[in-house]
Amino acid sequence: MGSVQWTLLLLMVVSICNVHVRASDPPLTLDYYKKTCPTVLELVRKEMECAVLSDPRNAALILRLHFHDCFVQGCDGSVLLDDTIDLQGEKEAPNNKNALKGFRIIDKIKNLLESECPGIVSCADILTVAARDAVLLVGGPYWDVPLGRKDSKTAGYELSSTLPTAADGLLSIISKFMEQGLSVTDMVALSGAHTIGMARCVNFRDRIYGDYALTSEVNPISEAYLQNLRSSCPPAGGEDNRESAMDYVTPELFDNSYFQILLRGQGLINSDQELYSSILGIETKRLVQNYAENPPAFFEQFSESMVKMGNITNPETYVDGEVRRNCRFVNT
């Protein structure tokens, strides 16, 4: 067995042994706001319905915000903090800049809840519930969201470098998820979130001018799609922020077509196609095939993995956390 295979085997072992290192049992409950703000779920759902009705792409924006929050310091609302004289937020970190939107949606929900239940519902909980509702409103599964997170008074600008990127290879992707206590199965299922949302040209340029033609099926439809991508994303410089859907079949519907696209070798970004095409991806390839053929299996695992990711909390917030009055700023 070569060194690369040994590395992958080691990562798999660590995944099995440490799956609960970060995603452990936090002090969260399903009825946390039952007495203090009983209408919280109804109010978040109503605002998310308005946001998704006005633009279905808002669902992907909120889901991405939640992901980027939980992977840095845990699900503590740190991604929502603006830069101030005393605090460097995460929004301008290289892996977040130009990639995150939807902050105003969370602001609107927070303002509504502050009027209804002042000082009660954390921004971290709002974002977690909003992400669940975002998925549900575009056709995805429902899951119960444990609540009781506190908001962080700090942000993790430097830690944002640990976020998975479009250029990551399979081993890098696996290791970044395992650092959060998430397994290979969690990683593949959560990657299915790319069935909604867009990618910027800067994140798929290398792919469409690199090995895309090698992994994709050779037929007129595939070739026309590749030419369309190249026409909107030139090979060198310019148009970095032009966007294309990561699931070009049903870009505004949460379903399993993302995995079917990977089977055809047409994943838009490298880190997605690696799940199926990497020679090291024996387990990930099997999972992609299963989710492509079995939508209920994907929905069930996605729900389970989202709860697990949402349970990655920041222990410091239970010592020195707060419920922010404004999600963009620490309380004064």
Side-chain angles (χ1 to χ4, degrees):
M1 183 179 292
S3 59
V4 174
Q5 285 81 3
W6 274 116
T7 301
L8 181 59
L9 178 60
L10 178 60
L11 287 172
M12 296 296 186
V13 171
V14 173
S15 177
I16 294 171
C17 296
N18 291 345
V19 71
H20 296 297
V21 169
R22 292 286 302 279
S24 56
D25 297 324
L28 306 177
T29 63
L30 295 178
D31 59 354
Y32 186 81
Y33 296 110
K34 183 177 181 179
K35 295 182 178 179
T36 57
C37 192
T39 59
V40 58
L41 297 181
E42 177 185 345
L43 293 175
V44 174
R45 173 68 63 82
K46 185 179 297 184
E47 288 303 313
M48 283 305 302
E49 285 176 349
C50 293
V52 174
L53 183 63
S54 66
D55 187 346
R57 291 178 297 180
N58 283 331
L61 302 184
I62 296 302
L63 184 56
R64 181 177 293 180
L65 267 184
H66 179 48
F67 181 91
H68 281 239
D69 184 36
C70 293
F71 262 64
V72 179
Q73 297 188 168
C75 310
D76 61 358
S78 60
V79 75
L80 303 173
L81 289 168
D82 282 350
D83 288 352
T84 67
I85 295 176
D86 301 319
L87 183 145
Q88 184 177 32
E90 299 165 17
K91 295 179 180 179
E92 295 299 310
N95 286 347
N96 287 336
K97 190 174 183 179
N98 298 319
L100 299 181
K101 302 175 183 177
F103 297 104
R104 292 182 180 179
I105 297 172
I106 301 302
D107 289 340
K108 188 173 182 181
I109 297 173
K110 179 60 175 175
N111 289 338
L112 180 65
L113 285 169
E114 282 298 299
S115 297
E116 184 80 9
C117 315
I120 299 298
V121 184
S122 69
C123 299
D125 274 349
I126 290 172
L127 182 53
T128 307
V129 175
R132 187 274 310 276
D133 290 346
V135 171
L136 186 65
L137 289 166
V138 289
Y142 172 91
W143 61 91
D144 290 320
V145 179
L147 298 168
R149 298 164 190 81
K150 296 299 181 183
D151 295 323
S152 173
K153 295 180 181 179
T154 65
Y157 180 95
E158 298 295 337
L159 293 175
S160 297
S161 63
T162 63
L163 285 162
T165 69
D168 279 342
L170 184 61
L171 294 182
S172 176
I173 303 168
I174 291 173
S175 66
K176 288 180 177 180
F177 273 78
M178 288 196 308
E179 287 172 4
Q180 305 299 329
L182 299 169
S183 68
V184 172
T185 299
D186 295 321
M187 182 266 289
V188 176
L190 292 173
S191 295
H194 288 172
T195 190
I196 56 176
M198 312 288 283
R200 294 186 299 136
C201 167
V202 69
N203 288 323
F204 62 82
R205 176 181 285 122
D206 288 346
R207 166 86 173 126
I208 63 174
Y209 291 101
D211 65 355
Y212 188 100
L214 297 177
T215 62
S216 63
E217 297 177 351
V218 180
N219 58 56
I221 295 177
S222 179
E223 292 176 2
Y225 176 57
L226 177 57
Q227 291 307 314
N228 182 58
L229 289 172
R230 288 177 173 176
S231 67
S232 67
C233 182
E239 309 300 346
D240 281 0
N241 291 323
R242 279 202 178 184
E243 295 180 324
S244 290
M246 288 182 280
D247 172 1
Y248 69 89
V249 179
T250 53
E252 296 179 353
L253 179 65
F254 195 100
D255 57 16
N256 71 325
S257 67
Y258 159 84
F259 295 105
Q260 296 168 357
I261 288 171
L262 297 187
L263 294 186
R264 297 195 294 271
Q266 295 177 334
L268 182 62
I269 60 177
N270 180 74
S271 58
D272 283 344
Q273 194 58 48
E274 281 277 293
L275 302 181
Y276 184 73
S277 297
S278 172
I279 61 173
L280 302 176
I282 298 173
E283 177 67 7
T284 59
K285 184 173 184 176
R286 182 189 66 78
L287 290 166
V288 169
Q289 291 173 323
N290 182 36
Y291 298 150
E293 298 166 0
N294 191 343
F298 166 49
F299 274 27
E300 180 179 357
Q301 185 59 56
F302 184 83
S303 299
E304 181 180 322
S305 297
M306 282 296 291
V307 172
K308 191 172 174 182
M309 184 182 77
N311 286 354
I312 304 172
T313 55
N314 181 348
E316 293 182 5
T317 62
Y318 293 97
V319 178
D320 191 36
E322 63 181 7
V323 173
R324 289 188 216 130
R325 292 186 292 271
N326 183 326
C327 292
R328 294 174 180 266
F329 304 102
V330 174
N331 294 341
T332 56

